[in-house]
Amino acid sequence: MQDTTQQLRARLPTKITGIVFWGTVFVGLILTLFQMRTLEEDIRGRHALQSNRFTEAVADLLVRQEAASPEVLSPRIDTLIDAHGLLGAEIVLENRLLRFGRISGESHYHEQTLQTPDGIPVSSGLQRVVMYLPSVEAEVARLRKELLITMGVLFSAFGFILQWILQRLLTQPFLGMVTTAQRFTVGDEQARFDETRQDEFGFLGKFFNKALDYLLVQQDELKDALARVRESESALYHEKERVEVTLHSIGDAVITTDEAGCIEYLNPVAERLTGYQLHEVQGKVLSEIMQLINENTRQPVENPVDQCLKCGEILELADHTVLVRADGEEVAIADSAAPIRDRSGGIIGAVMVFHDVGHARKLARQLSYQATHDALTGLYNRREFEQRLKEAIEESRLRGDEHALCYLDLDQFKLVNDTCGHIAGDELLRQIAVLLQSRIRDADILARLGGDEFGVLLMHCTLEQARRVAEDLRKTVRDFRFVHEEHSFEIGVSIGVVTVNASIHNMTEIYSAADVACYAAKDSGRNRIHVYKPDDHELKRRQGEMRWVARIRKAIEEDRFVLYSQVIEPVSDPSLPVHYEILLRICDESGEEVPPMAFIPAAERYNMMPEVDRWVIDRVLDTAATIERGPLREAVWTINISGRSLGEDEFLRYLLRRIADSPVPASRFCFEITETAAIANLRRAARFIKQLKTLGCRFALDDFGSGLSSFAYLKNLEVDYLKIDGSFVRDMVEDPIDHAMVEAINNVGHVMNIQTIAEFVENDAIRASLQALGVNYAQGYGIGRPRPLDELLASRGLSQVAARDCG
């Protein structure tokens, strides 16, 4: 825009000035041509006049200078020649030719013969005068040149003056209006024309300013209108685009029809699921294109769009509906159809939305299967088994039918796990599941209840029939040989059998009876069957143990355990540190103290010992941390670890963390495990001992010698103490065989650099005999009876921080 303004400023004055200037030049040239036509006559006349005047002046001079010589006349004649504009002259004086000035053959000359006038004295011999003047042609050329130069200067000055006047009067106001118009066109709405001038430009400025104001008002109104139009267009476009994008990108298939049920639109998902392209089926009746059947009955299913158009309501497909594609492939779908109405509420079509639910139905079947089946064996899981058992109990109560429940627990499963690992254990469970399934009827329910426990619900089966089935299952498992790599195992199973009849009140009751019967079979020697009978005293004892589970848990929650301690004194070397074995009691709800053998078997049987052991460890570690002085500062605290805790990884991690965080040296803690528990979990026991010994803890093997292979297992366990079984120690003074057994165990222990502890030392005679054999420690009523730990601490002048006392 700036360039345009500069061009206008450069050209407009020039154009106007040029028109006037060249018009004036043209007129001047015409006038000059007229003047040039008379110029030569004027020059010739002027030459004649000059010649006459020069002749008269020469004559007059000669008259006044009669006797003058040519030398005297020459300067004066030259003066006259210059004064009259001559180039030169020839004078004939008394027949003498005198020349003055510049005489050239190209010069124009005038010749004049003089006659002496009457009454005037005759000049001294002047006869003729020839005067040389510039050439007429040269004079004309010179004058023409001077005229042209003069005219050029005059016309140039005239042009500049004219341009300046036009610039002031016309160009500047006009360019100002142009600039204002340009500013307005580029968006400067404040640009206005000059209204202060009192000429035509001022009038035009007022007119244009009013036009601009009106234009701006119209422009604003137009902008508002355009904005509303664009907003509406944008909203419509976005709405249309959103609908199209939604329909194209939605995960569901969408089909729209007109009021006659003819297809108008299919989105890409609908094209993929039906197998038809929109251009192939557009305008065709939907029910003819879309074939729906029931996947179970294989009968045709009415298209919901047809029903929707008839009733004008939203409808859904029935379950298990299958769409038959164009290529014959079947797709499981879920569907809904809704009417499309106009503003007046009339039905103008319908929309059908459906999606592929094949994966969902497959997943639902898988989830249903997983919810009711065991992932490892493929049998029913405990939840589904309990549901079937509940139905059987209800059926017995309503109809009087009799069923039977068999509770199976594998006998050697832990041995397989410890020897070959969990992978082998899992494979054993899978093979046992197949084996058991092959021995029962299709109507019976077989389930894995957890771990190595299985349940069999024998439908419509008497107790005697159930006994025979259980015996068949027991023999089948007993005859089975599980082989893994180079190992071969004989697997036994203990089975508890209980009848399901109208006398059973709930599932908890029958589960409890079956569980107790199974444990009774295990306690009877394993690989046995035990049939539950209401008057069975052994089973009642088991049920009593089950009631102890709730009492033990409540005692833990209410902190009603009591810690006791029994001293273990050195026998042969007084410099050895004194040990104190921690024992446990319960203070029951009535304030009475309950001995350990009343609740420990129940806690072990129902896997509560890890929780009990944690409680004991926490209290002992906290108590030991408060003992900073006195004789107990160097005492070793012996804590019993149950077989259940020994095989639990989480318990091991917890114990490692507590020992590492305790300010008490780890060497002041000795963990006591029974020989039976160690042998049953040999690999786990060895790992348990090894990890804690890295912290400095000590280990004692309790009841050593009671097993048949005690010495064979001893080399695999890194223990510090052997506790000689009390059954040998009690009668060793009178019984030479017991004495020999104690001596043998003591000798083997010392050979393996393991100290020995004799249990059941009840008198001084036994103590003296042990001292003679070199046994390191003695424990028993003859050394010290168990007493509350708080009492021990108080006797040593320490605070009672261990645990509460029933008293």
Side-chain angles (χ1 to χ4, degrees):
M1 197 60 66
Q2 183 69 22
D3 294 338
T4 303
T5 302
Q6 292 177 352
Q7 290 176 2
L8 289 173
R9 287 177 179 173
R11 291 181 177 182
L12 189 59
T14 303
K15 288 181 179 180
I16 297 174
T17 303
I19 292 173
V20 177
F21 176 78
W22 289 111
T24 305
V25 170
F26 180 72
V27 174
L29 287 175
I30 293 175
L31 294 176
T32 302
L33 288 175
F34 282 111
Q35 186 177 4
M36 292 298 292
R37 294 180 63 182
T38 60
L39 186 60
E40 185 175 352
E41 287 80 3
D42 291 341
I43 292 173
R44 291 184 184 280
R46 183 164 50 82
H47 282 185
L49 181 61
Q50 289 176 333
S51 298
N52 292 332
R53 290 179 177 176
F54 179 75
T55 302
E56 291 176 356
V58 170
D60 184 59
L61 178 63
L62 290 178
V63 170
R64 292 196 306 270
Q65 301 289 337
E66 295 180 359
S69 62
E71 292 77 7
V72 175
L73 292 174
S74 180
R76 296 182 178 181
I77 295 298
D78 290 337
T79 302
L80 291 175
I81 289 171
D82 294 335
H84 290 83
L86 303 179
L87 297 177
E90 289 181 354
I91 299 175
V92 178
L93 183 62
E94 296 178 358
N95 297 322
R96 287 186 302 164
L97 178 63
L98 299 176
R99 294 182 174 179
F100 300 93
R102 301 185 305 279
I103 298 173
S104 172
E106 297 179 356
S107 302
H108 178 69
Y109 66 92
H110 282 268
E111 182 177 348
Q112 190 169 4
T113 300
L114 298 179
Q115 296 293 335
T116 303
D118 293 338
I120 299 175
V122 177
S123 59
S124 54
L126 179 60
Q127 299 173 341
R128 184 168 53 91
V129 176
V130 180
M131 293 157 288
Y132 291 91
L133 292 97
S135 172
V136 175
E137 291 77 7
E139 186 70 13
V140 170
R142 182 182 63 79
L143 290 175
R144 186 184 297 113
K145 180 178 180 181
E146 291 178 355
L147 179 62
L148 292 174
I149 291 173
T150 301
M151 289 182 64
V153 171
L154 290 176
F155 286 145
S156 296
F158 173 75
F160 284 119
I161 294 172
L162 180 62
Q163 184 177 11
W164 181 79
I165 293 173
L166 292 175
Q167 183 79 18
R168 296 279 297 178
L169 298 180
L170 179 63
T171 305
Q172 286 184 357
F174 180 72
L175 288 178
M177 297 183 73
V178 172
T179 301
T180 302
Q182 290 172 341
R183 288 170 52 198
F184 187 82
T185 57
V186 297
D188 185 1
E189 296 182 356
Q190 303 301 320
R192 290 295 183 272
F193 294 97
D194 186 8
E195 300 180 1
T196 60
R197 297 178 64 92
Q198 300 300 318
D199 52 9
E200 293 82 355
F201 288 106
F203 174 78
L204 289 175
K206 294 178 181 179
F207 173 77
F208 288 143
N209 285 342
K210 290 182 180 180
L212 291 179
D213 292 337
Y214 178 76
L215 182 62
L216 287 175
V217 172
Q218 295 297 315
Q219 183 179 355
D220 290 339
E221 293 179 355
L222 182 59
K223 284 182 179 179
D224 292 340
L226 287 175
R228 290 193 296 271
V229 171
R230 287 172 181 169
E231 185 176 351
S232 299
E233 289 180 350
S234 177
L236 289 174
Y237 173 78
H238 286 302
E239 190 67 27
K240 181 173 178 287
E241 186 180 49
R242 187 181 299 110
V243 171
E244 290 180 352
V245 171
T246 301
L247 291 176
H248 277 73
S249 61
I250 193 171
D252 290 348
V254 178
I255 300 177
T256 60
T257 71
D258 58 16
E259 64 274 13
C262 297
I263 297 173
E264 291 183 341
Y265 172 78
L266 277 75
N267 72 344
V269 179
E271 292 179 336
R272 177 173 57 82
L273 290 182
T274 61
Y276 293 103
Q277 297 296 314
L278 176 60
H279 64 85
E280 297 175 346
V281 297
Q282 196 168 26
K284 296 183 180 180
V285 179
L286 177 62
S287 58
E288 297 177 358
I289 300 300
M290 195 170 185
Q291 182 182 357
L292 302 175
I293 62 173
N294 185 285
E295 66 177 341
N296 296 326
T297 65
R298 312 304 295 176
Q299 295 299 315
V301 175
E302 185 178 1
N303 196 296
V305 169
D306 297 335
Q307 303 176 49
C308 170
L309 292 172
K310 292 176 184 177
C311 66
E313 298 178 354
I314 299 175
L315 298 175
E316 295 184 359
L317 275 175
D319 294 337
H320 309 293
T321 300
V322 172
L323 166 65
V324 181
R325 290 168 38 93
D327 56 6
E329 182 182 347
E330 295 182 357
V331 180
I333 64 170
D335 164 275
S336 66
I340 302 175
R341 301 180 184 273
D342 57 18
R343 292 186 178 181
S344 62
I347 296 177
I348 59 174
V351 57
M352 179 178 181
V353 180
F354 60 98
H355 57 277
D356 184 356
V357 295
H359 178 71
R361 288 184 186 174
K362 180 180 178 181
L363 182 60
R365 287 192 292 268
Q366 291 177 348
L367 291 175
S368 176
Y369 181 85
Q370 292 173 1
T372 58
H373 289 73
D374 175 54
L376 178 63
T377 62
L379 302 177
Y380 286 116
N381 58 19
R382 188 183 191 97
R383 177 183 176 186
E384 181 64 16
F385 186 78
E386 289 178 351
Q387 181 61 32
R388 300 295 184 93
L389 180 58
K390 187 183 300 183
E391 294 172 0
I393 294 172
E394 187 67 21
E395 184 179 325
S396 297
R397 183 181 299 111
L398 296 176
R399 301 179 184 176
D401 294 339
E402 186 176 4
H403 314 290
L405 171 63
C406 298
Y407 195 96
L408 294 75
D409 192 326
L410 300 182
D411 292 331
Q412 300 300 324
F413 181 72
K414 290 185 178 297
L415 181 61
V416 175
N417 255 354
D418 292 342
T419 305
C420 302
H422 290 290
I423 295 178
D426 291 345
E427 180 59 29
L428 170 61
L429 292 175
R430 281 191 287 266
Q431 294 185 22
I432 290 294
V434 174
L435 197 64
L436 294 176
Q437 190 73 61
S438 67
R439 307 302 298 176
I440 63 175
R441 301 169 301 174
D442 293 339
D444 299 330
I445 307 300
L446 172 63
R448 181 188 176 205
L449 303 181
D452 58 345
E453 299 170 350
F454 296 85
V456 180
L457 180 57
L458 301 173
M459 304 299 297
H460 304 287
C461 182
T462 64
L463 187 59
E464 185 58 34
Q465 292 172 334
R467 185 197 300 271
R468 290 196 297 269
V469 173
E471 180 62 23
D472 181 55
L473 294 177
R474 186 196 66 79
K475 289 182 178 179
T476 301
V477 175
R478 183 60 181 174
D479 295 339
F480 172 69
R481 295 292 182 272
F482 177 68
V483 179
H484 183 78
E485 296 178 350
E486 72 277 7
H487 301 284
S488 177
F489 300 90
E490 289 185 0
I491 307 299
V493 61
S494 299
I495 305 176
V497 181
V498 60
T499 186
V500 180
N501 53 33
S503 63
I504 299 298
H505 296 90
N506 53 56
M507 188 172 60
T508 304
E509 180 182 342
I510 194 170
Y511 250 132
S512 174
D515 185 42
V516 170
C518 182
Y519 273 108
K522 279 187 175 292
D523 288 350
S524 298
R526 300 177 183 270
N527 193 35
R528 296 176 183 274
I529 298 171
H530 193 103
V531 179
Y532 174 82
K533 296 178 182 178
D535 57 350
D536 192 323
H537 298 290
E538 177 63 20
L539 295 185
K540 287 183 178 180
R541 184 180 66 82
R542 296 294 182 188
Q543 288 178 322
E545 289 181 349
M546 292 180 66
R547 286 192 289 271
W548 262 110
V549 172
R551 297 180 66 187
I552 293 171
R553 188 169 303 281
K554 190 174 182 181
I556 294 175
E557 293 173 354
E558 297 178 358
D559 199 24
R560 287 192 284 103
F561 281 113
V562 180
L563 293 183
Y564 271 61
S565 65
Q566 185 177 23
V567 66
I568 304 174
E569 290 186 349
V571 176
S572 304
D573 186 357
S575 65
L576 293 176
V578 177
H579 290 227
Y580 289 93
E581 181 177 357
I582 300 300
L583 305 173
L584 190 63
R585 308 284 189 271
I586 283 182
C587 186
D588 67 10
E589 294 83 350
S590 62
E592 296 295 326
E593 191 174 274
V594 181
M597 291 312 296
F599 63 87
I600 290 297
E604 288 181 339
R605 185 179 305 279
Y606 296 102
N607 199 28
M608 295 193 66
M609 280 309 297
E611 194 171 357
V612 174
D613 288 344
R614 290 191 186 196
W615 188 95
V616 174
I617 288 168
D618 287 340
R619 295 306 185 277
V620 174
L621 264 62
D622 292 342
T623 300
T626 63
I627 300 174
E628 300 177 357
R629 55 185 176 78
L632 296 180
R633 185 177 59 182
E634 301 299 328
V636 176
W637 304 99
T638 300
I639 305 171
N640 289 278
I641 301 295
S642 68
R644 292 281 189 176
S645 300
L646 195 64
E648 195 176 88
D649 291 339
E650 180 61 31
F651 179 83
L652 174 59
R653 288 191 291 269
Y654 172 80
L655 186 54
L656 288 170
R657 184 171 63 252
R658 287 289 282 125
I659 294 295
D661 294 341
S662 175
V664 182
S667 59
R668 289 180 55 197
F669 299 107
C670 178
F671 296 102
E672 186 174 303
I673 58 178
T674 65
E675 179 188 3
T676 304
I679 294 174
N681 302 275
L682 187 59
R683 187 168 60 88
R684 288 182 177 271
R687 176 170 168 266
F688 188 94
I689 294 171
K690 183 176 181 180
Q691 294 203 27
L692 282 168
K693 284 185 70 68
T694 58
L695 299 179
C697 296
R698 308 183 190 193
F699 277 87
L701 193 59
D702 193 15
D703 297 335
F704 188 79
S706 60
L708 298 176
S709 305
S710 300
F711 293 110
Y713 286 109
L714 185 58
K715 61 182 180 181
N716 296 317
L717 300 172
E718 300 179 17
V719 297
D720 302 279
Y721 306 97
L722 292 181
K723 296 191 76 173
I724 304 171
D725 192 282
S727 62
F728 302 131
V729 177
R730 182 187 296 111
D731 299 324
M732 65 175 292
V733 177
E734 294 84 10
D735 190 334
I737 297 178
D738 288 344
H739 187 279
M741 287 294 295
V742 173
E743 184 179 12
I745 294 172
N746 183 65
N747 291 336
V748 171
H750 288 173
V751 168
M752 298 182 70
N753 199 26
I754 301 174
Q755 295 183 353
T756 53
I757 303 173
E759 298 180 299
F760 290 9
V761 179
E762 298 177 350
N763 51 56
D764 292 339
I766 298 175
R767 179 186 178 96
S769 181
L770 293 173
Q771 187 174 12
L773 292 176
V775 174
N776 302 102
Y777 287 92
Q779 179 184 10
Y781 284 4
I783 305 299
R785 290 177 174 272
R787 59 174 175 168
L789 182 57
D790 281 348
E791 184 179 318
L792 171 67
L793 298 177
S795 66
R796 299 296 192 272
L798 301 172
S799 301
Q800 298 182 16
V801 295
R804 58 171 293 170
D805 190 345
C806 281

